[in-house]
Amino acid sequence: MSNGVEEVQRWPLHPQPQTGEALTSWLRRIGNLYGISNIVQLVSELHPDGAGSDLDRDIPDAAARMLAARSTVALDRLRQMSLSGWVPWLLDSTDPAECDFDTYVHQLSVLIPPHLARDDRSRRAPTEPGWLPWVTDTPNTRVCPVCIGAGNADTVISVKLIWQLSLVTSCPEHRCRLEPCHVVPGQIVFWDRSVCALGEDLRPTPVHSTVTALDRRTTAALAEGSVLLPRARVHAGLWFRMLRTLIDEICIPLGKAGTYARDLRLIWECAGDRPPRALTRPFEYLNRADQSRILAGAAAAITLIEEGTITAAGTHGALLSPYPADAVFAGTPFPRSAPAPTSHADTASSAWERLPALIDTVVAAARENIDTARSLHAFILLGAHTDQQIRKIDDTFNELGIDVGNPDR
Ligand SMILES: [Zn+2]
């Protein structure tokens, strides 16, 4: 063993994953090289735990270690090619039994005060088990036609994990709509002309700048672990939950929204018609077209809040609100002879920006050193007041791979 990865013979050929590529896309490209068309068969030959899994949703740990050993891809990067690698930031668990709709969608509030339209929430809650945030089962893959190299023979044909979720509707880099298709990774794309907006010339469909701005933040959250909002840089976990909460709030019927009906009306005047099904179904169970319209509504709402046109009255709405014009001291200019500062001033803003990296550093140190792990554990327990809160902290430490040993020793 070395670095937790078993020493096994490496594949002689193993293409590197593309940025953000889904695990099955990468494995299918490897399978092409060895003439193995069945991706489950490929992984099950590596480790029996991999057989039968939805590998883009959950990669068994033993199978992930074997794949890391067979290739030169780091274990952490490999895990993040599957949805399970984003627990608990993007979702609480990939097991629907451990992913509570009400906790995910309603523990925050953004646009609407939390007490308003409380009775209406159940109309958009899933009625059967199986719900996971941002996960939609559809037969089609969605891709950016430019990223996937439509019409360009030199581009590696691969599928990003984020394209398959309901988180985004566009490619922020190329500012165009994601298009439905069938993809054979590494080989060919079949465009579904019945639902695809691409013409014969494969010209991408541009999207509104508000949608691109929203998708850029969400993409950054997945890539960098945090998002810069008007008042602070926030952790990706908070951003995904704020966005899902806002989506539910803009689907409240006008008659239930009280004085906030005016804001909802303005949002939908900017974004277009609100799909009627969105009032009574979970966002994840809508079709792709309706999801796109709802995300356009969320993008319009965020823009209107940030412009100060409407006021976000939820508990976390202030994070999206602009600073009052008279709240920021303009500062005193440096005298001409003063040397320029060489590092960040220690302001609250820069401290917020450093916070995600600091947390990652502390977690990494705690994984390596049990004394550090116990110090961190004891510090966080200061904020726990019930057995349930203590158990939640212990579970989180387990999920993060931090061993505190026997705390009574
Ligand atoms: Zn693109």
Side-chain angles (χ1 to χ4, degrees), residues 61-78:
D61 193 57
R65 288 179 179 279
M66 287 297 288
L67 283 172
R70 291 275 181 157
S71 66
T72 54
V73 180
L75 188 58
D76 282 350
R77 183 178 183 194
L78 206 144

Side-chain angles (χ1 to χ4, degrees), residues 362 365-382 397 402-409:
V362 170
R367 284 190 183 119
E368 298 294 327
N369 185 304
I370 195 162
D371 290 333
T372 305
R374 286 176 177 165
S375 296
L376 180 63
H377 191 252
F379 174 72
I380 292 180
L381 280 180
L382 292 174
F397 270 61
I402 301 175
D403 181 14
V404 295
N406 181 350
D408 296 330
R409 281 184 298 173

Side-chain angles (χ1 to χ4, degrees), residues 126-139:
T127 53
E128 295 178 358
W131 174 88
L132 286 174
W134 312 114
V135 174
T136 299
D137 290 325
T138 63

